[in-house]
C-alpha cells in the first residue's frame, strides 16, 4: 500500500526531477518537498491539486493509500529506490547531518547563546560604575579628584567591554565547528528532523516566557529614573537610578538574546523562516549591514554619552537603533524576494 509520500517520491523520480526541480514547479522550498517525501508533513490542498496537474494523475490516486500507482518502468518499490534519506537531493557535496550531530549542536548552542548574551549584557553594564562614581563624586561622598574618579570608571568600562569582546571572539571560534550549519550547506536525516521539532516544541514555552519577561523588565527599567525626576531628587539619586536602569536593561537583554538565539538554532537546523534557502542572500546582506551598523551605533552612544553626560537619556539610542535596523533589514529582505 503506497502512501502519499511514496507516491510523490516515485512520480518525481519517474519524471527525472530532483527535489529542487519539483520545488521550483510548485513554488515551494526544497525542504518542503523533502518533508512531504519523508512523511514529516503533508502538502496543503492547493499543492495537492498542483501536484496532480504536474504529474498528470488524479488527486484520488495521490490521496488514497489503497490506490496503487501502476509501475510500468522505472524504479520499483523494492529495489531500494525509496530508501532515500530525508532531504536527499541530487546536488553533490551536501553534508548529511545525523541525530547525534544535531544533539551536539543543540547542546553546544546552549553555551553559545548564554555566552553571547552575557557579552552583550556586559557591554550594557560597562558604564554603570562610571555613572555611579560621577554621581557620588559630585556630592563629595567620595573625596577623590574628578579626574581620578572618571579614570577609574573608564578603566572598568574598558575592562568589561574587553571581556565581552573576548567572549565574542572565543565563542565565534568555537562555533566554527558548526560552520556548515551556519552556511546552510547540509541536509538533516529523518530522525534528526523529528528530534529538532521535538526540542523546539519543548522549548517554545521557555522562549515565550523569556521574551515576555525581558520586554517587561526593559520597559519597567526606566520607572526609577522617571520617579526620581518627578520627585525632584538630587542629581546623585538620578545618576544612581540611571545605573540601576542599565543593570535592568542588561538583564532584560540577556534574557531576550539568550532565548532568541536558542530558538533560532532550531530554525537554523530546519532551514525555516529567516534561515530558509530562499532567504540566504538576504541574510548575508543584513549580516554585512549589521557588521557596520552596530559598531557605528556603539560609537555614537559612547561619544554622545561622554560629551553630554546624559547617560540617563542616551540609552534611548539603543531601542531607536533597533527599530531602524529592523526597518532597513525588512526593506533589504523584500527587495531580494
Amino acid at each position: 500500500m503506497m502512501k502519499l509520500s511514496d507516491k510523490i517520491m516515485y512520480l518525481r523520480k519517474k519524471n527525472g526531477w530532483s527535489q529542487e526541480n519539483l520545488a521550483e514547479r510548485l513554488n515551494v522550498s526544497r525542504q518542503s518537498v523533502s518533508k512531504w517525501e519523508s512523511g514529516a508533513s503533508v502538502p496543503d490542498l492547493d499543492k495537492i491539486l498542483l501536484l496532480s496537474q504536474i504529474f498528470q494523475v488524479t488527486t484520488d490516486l495521490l490521496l488514497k493509500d489503497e490506490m496503487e500507482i501502476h509501475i510500468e518502468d522505472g524504479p520499483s518499490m523494492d529495489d531500494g529506490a525509496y530508501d532515500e534519506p530525508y532531504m536527499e537531493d541530487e546536488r553533490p557535496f551536501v553534508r548529511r547531518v545525523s541525530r547525534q550531530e544535531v544533539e551536539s549542536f543543540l547542546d553546544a548552542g546552549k553555551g553559545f547563546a548564554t555566552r553571547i548574551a552575557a557579552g552583550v549584557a556586559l557591554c550594557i553594564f560597562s558604564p554603570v560604575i562610571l555613572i555611579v562614581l560621577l554621581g557620588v563624586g559630585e556630592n563629595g561622598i567620595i573625596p577623590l579628584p574628578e579626574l581620578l574618579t572618571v579614570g577609574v570608571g573608564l578603566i572598568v568600562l574598558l575592562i568589561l567591554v574587553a571581556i565581552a569582546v573576548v567572549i565574542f571572539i572565543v565563542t565565534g571560534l568555537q562555533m566554527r565547528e558548526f560552520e556548515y550549519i551556519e552556511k546552510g550547506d547540509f541536509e538533516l536525516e529523518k530522525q534528526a528532523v523529528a528530534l529538532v521539532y521535538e526540542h523546539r516544541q519543548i522549548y517554545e514555552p521557555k522562549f515565550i516566557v523569556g521574551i515576555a519577561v525581558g520586554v517587561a523588565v526593559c520597559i519597567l527599567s526606566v520607572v526609577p529614573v522617571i520617579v526620581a525626576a518627578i520627585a525632584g531628587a538630587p542629581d546623585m539619586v538620578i545618576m544612581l537610578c540611571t545605573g540601576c536602569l542599565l543593570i535592568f536593561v542588561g538583564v532584560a537583554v540577556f534574557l531576550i538574546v539568550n532565548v532568541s538565539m536558542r530558538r533560532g538554532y532550531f530554525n537554523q537546523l530546519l532551514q525555516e523562516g529567516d534561515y530558509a534557502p530562499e532567504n540566504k542572500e538576504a541574510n548575508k546582506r543584513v549580516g554585512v549591514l549589521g557588521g557596520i551598523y552596530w559598531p557605528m551605533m556603539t560609537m555614537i552612544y559612547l561619544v554622545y554619552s561622554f560629551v553630554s553626560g546624559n547617560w540617563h537619556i542616551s540609552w534611548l539610542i539603543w531601542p531607536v537603533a533597533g527599530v531602524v535596523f529592523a526597518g532597513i533589514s525588512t526593506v533589504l529582505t523584500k527587495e531580494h524576494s
Side-chain angles (χ1 to χ4, degrees), residues 7-26 30 33 37 50-57 75 84 88-91:
K7 293 175 182 178
I8 294 175
M9 185 185 297
Y10 170 77
L11 292 168
R12 172 178 67 79
K13 288 191 170 186
K14 184 178 179 181
N15 283 276
W17 298 333
S18 67
Q19 291 178 341
E20 203 160 42
N21 296 149
L22 180 57
E24 290 174 357
R25 288 171 169 78
L26 294 168
R30 179 182 57 82
V33 176
E37 294 185 356
L50 192 53
L51 282 168
S52 69
Q53 295 174 10
I54 291 174
F55 291 141
Q56 296 184 349
V57 297
E84 181 177 8
E88 182 188 17
D89 194 77
E90 287 73 7
R91 297 178 305 160

Side-chain angles (χ1 to χ4, degrees), residues 269-332:
L269 286 167
L270 296 171
Q271 298 186 52
E272 293 181 349
D274 292 338
Y275 299 97
E278 57 268 24
N279 294 330
K280 278 186 183 179
E281 188 61 32
N283 289 334
K284 287 180 182 177
R285 295 165 65 182
V286 172
V288 172
L289 170 67
I292 301 172
Y293 181 86
W294 290 114
M296 184 177 66
M297 287 297 106
T298 302
M299 182 183 68
I300 292 173
Y301 167 72
L302 292 175
V303 170
Y304 172 76
S305 299
F306 282 122
V307 172
S308 68
N310 294 326
W311 294 91
H312 60 292
I313 297 176
S314 60
W315 67 274
L316 290 170
I317 290 174
W318 295 112
V320 172
V323 172
V324 173
F325 183 76
I328 297 174
S329 300
T330 302
V331 171
L332 290 176

Side-chain angles (χ1 to χ4, degrees), residues 131-146 149 236:
I131 294 171
V132 172
L133 288 177
L134 288 174
V136 297
E138 289 179 0
N139 289 268
I141 297 177
I142 299 180
L144 292 174
E146 182 179 354
T149 303
M236 182 192 73

